[in-house]
């Protein structure tokens, strides 16, 4: 989808003239544009899936009621072959983009704000399937990573077998995880920072149910993959206060997302390909080895 098509969708459905439009780098499953008119700025999301944004709009409205800093849904519908969603614009950049500009005090304050947001989300009343289990979620993620790694052939599928064994070692803990709501996709992306503070949360297409520690684990793996320090994740854990078995689960989740990252290398999403080369393969293999050593230290406690 090009900017010309996006302009037509925006102008057709707002009756406002576009002064400037820019394709955003975020969004591998959607086309996302920052759109400026003479007086305001908006976000336009487009998808070729029918009714793609019904759930997104519903979640954003529910989160707004909980005083979570999310965009306001201004319009949604269908235009030609595309579903569209027009949102208010929130100033800021993904935390991964500005991470090196943040000082330790700012990282600590952001972690405090984010955990407070997660705790507000956890109080939402969300219906779940009667047969829901957290281990089913783990199985799905591992099976997806296994299929992708096997198909793309950049990594060793033995890593998946290793994680399935570790899963059994903490099965009692995983079996006890309840379907608690949380924002599972705020890591180095989707968390906007402006002036060293949280300004908003974007790209909310679903709500996670289960163990909130996974968002901290995803963040840690993302930071390691970007070759950045993990001070912010340490601050998140300081706010969450995991006990020994919870920390062990956290390390397992880090390994889980590491193989998930491996599975994505070389994949095509819309018109974007997830990059892969020898350096990326080595870095993710090194991260996996670091995390396995940490897991083994946890077993010695």
């Amino acid at each position: 989808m090009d900017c010309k098509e996006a302009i037509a969708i925006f102008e057709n459905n707002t009756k406002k003239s576009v002064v400037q439009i820019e394709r955003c780098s975020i969004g591998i499953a959607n086309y996302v544009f920052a759109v400026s008119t003479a007086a305001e700025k908006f976000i336009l999301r487009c998808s070729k899936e029918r009714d793609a944004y019904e759930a997104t709009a519903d979640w954003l409205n529910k989160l707004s009621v909980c005083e979570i800093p999310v965009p306001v849904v201004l319009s949604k519908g269908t235009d030609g072959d595309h579903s569209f969603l027009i949102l208010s614009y929130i100033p800021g950049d993904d935390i991964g983009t500005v991470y090196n500009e943040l000082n330790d005090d700012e990282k600590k304050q952001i972690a405090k704000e984010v955990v407070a947001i997660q705790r507000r989300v956890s109080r939402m009343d969300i219906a779940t399937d009667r047969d829901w289990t957290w281990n089913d979620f783990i199985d799905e993620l591992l099976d997806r990573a296994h299929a992708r790694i096997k198909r793309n052939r950049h990594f060793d599928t033995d890593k998946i077998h290793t994680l399935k064994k570790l899963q059994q070692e903490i099965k009692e803990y995983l079996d006890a995880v309840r379907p608690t709501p949380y924002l599972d996709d705020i890591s180095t992306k989707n968390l906007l920072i402006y002036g060293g503070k949280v300004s908003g949360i974007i790209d909310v297409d679903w709500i996670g149910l289960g163990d909130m520690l996974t968002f901290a684990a995803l963040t840690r793996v993302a930071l390691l993959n970007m070759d950045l320090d993990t001070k912010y994740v340490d601050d998140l854990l300081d706010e969450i206060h995991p006990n020994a078995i919870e920390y062990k689960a956290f390390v397992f989740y880090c390994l889980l997302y590491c193989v998930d990252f491996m599975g994505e290398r070389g994949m095509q999403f819309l018109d974007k390909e997830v990059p892969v080369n020898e350096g990326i393969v080595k870095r993710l293999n090194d991260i996996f080895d670091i995390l396995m050593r940490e897991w083994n230290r946890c077993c010695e406690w």
Side-chain angles (χ1 to χ4, degrees), residues 77-139:
T78 302
D79 191 305
D81 295 333
H82 291 91
S83 296
F84 71 87
L85 182 67
I86 299 174
L87 303 168
S88 63
Y89 176 80
I90 299 176
D93 295 293
D94 281 331
I95 187 171
T97 303
V98 299
Y99 192 80
N100 279 330
E101 300 170 20
L102 300 172
N103 60 44
D104 286 353
D105 287 342
E106 288 171 330
K107 290 174 186 174
K108 189 175 186 65
Q109 181 57 34
I110 291 167
K112 192 179 187 71
E113 290 180 62
V114 168
V115 173
I117 287 169
Q118 293 284 27
R119 287 179 175 145
R120 289 204 295 277
V121 174
S122 74
R123 294 192 287 270
M124 294 175 64
D125 186 15
I126 298 176
T128 56
D129 295 335
R130 187 172 296 180
D131 59 352
W132 181 96
T133 73
W134 183 236
N135 263 305
D136 283 347
F137 167 79
I138 302 296
D139 288 339

